[in-house]
Amino acid sequence: MRLRHRFTALAAAVGVGTALAVSGAAAANAHDTLDGTDPAQGSTVKSLSAVSLTFSADPLGTDGATVIQLIGPDKKYYETACPDLNGPVVSSPVALGPAGSYEVLWRVVSSDGHPISGSYTFAYAPDGSATPAAAGSAKPVCGPAASETTEAPAAAASADAGLWIGLGIGAVVLVGVGVGAWALARGRKNEG
């Protein structure tokens, strides 16, 4: 009878360890996602007054962490104010310059507290009645210039945290299996 109890305890330990491992992996991948953009990736616009990003959850309004930068074909910045958060939508007013390809660079703090960032492009092809092109700026309105950002360390730090969480969960599972195996072997020695 004791062997059956020890076997049940071992099975329970393995089950709990597996559940912890799965829930830890889900938590590590819980960052918000970019659900939509306006203008859309790869689209062509004739006019534009704002860039808007829609996320899967409400980004945190951490001071200085929310950035939308619009870089024109002349490598100047065309955002005219810092981004505004309204629920899951982050938007920034813009004044477009010359016709051509524009790149939107963005960074927000996900609702889980981790920074996420990305970029996409669209084209500007004004028609004959468009207002004169804006002059743009050598520096962005908010945040460091794109050439000065250090996104790689932030991404690496997030990946390192996920690695440590996974290793910790794996260690707990191994200890649980080891204790269960030890208890099972001890039970057999006592019964024999």
Side-chain angles (χ1 to χ4, degrees), residues 1-66:
M1 193 71 162
R2 291 178 98 186
L3 180 61
R4 178 178 285 171
H5 288 293
R6 288 200 168 109
F7 183 71
T8 303
L10 175 62
V14 169
V16 168
T18 302
L20 286 174
V22 170
S23 67
N29 292 321
H31 300 315
D32 300 340
T33 58
L34 180 63
D35 286 347
T37 63
D38 183 21
Q41 159 72 30
S43 67
T44 300
V45 299
K46 293 183 179 187
S47 66
L48 186 67
S49 60
V51 169
S52 297
L53 310 172
T54 303
F55 293 90
S56 58
D58 298 357
L60 301 178
T62 308
D63 205 20
T66 303

Side-chain angles (χ1 to χ4, degrees), residues 111-184:
S111 62
D112 68 357
H114 292 96
I116 57 174
S117 61
S119 65
Y120 73 95
T121 59
F122 67 90
Y124 173 49
D127 59 17
S129 65
T131 57
S137 171
K139 294 186 176 192
V141 174
C142 294
S147 61
E148 300 171 5
T149 59
T150 55
E151 299 297 334
S158 180
D160 286 347
L163 174 65
W164 286 111
I165 290 170
L167 288 173
I169 291 170
V172 168
V173 169
L174 286 176
V175 167
V177 169
V179 167
W182 173 78
L184 186 60

Side-chain angles (χ1 to χ4, degrees), residues 2 30 35 39 41 57-58 66 74-75 82 89 93-94 96 132 178 183 189:
R2 291 178 98 186
D35 286 347
Q41 159 72 30
D58 298 357
T66 303
D74 55 359
K75 304 301 180 203
C82 291
V89 178
V94 299
L96 298 179
K189 186 176 10 173

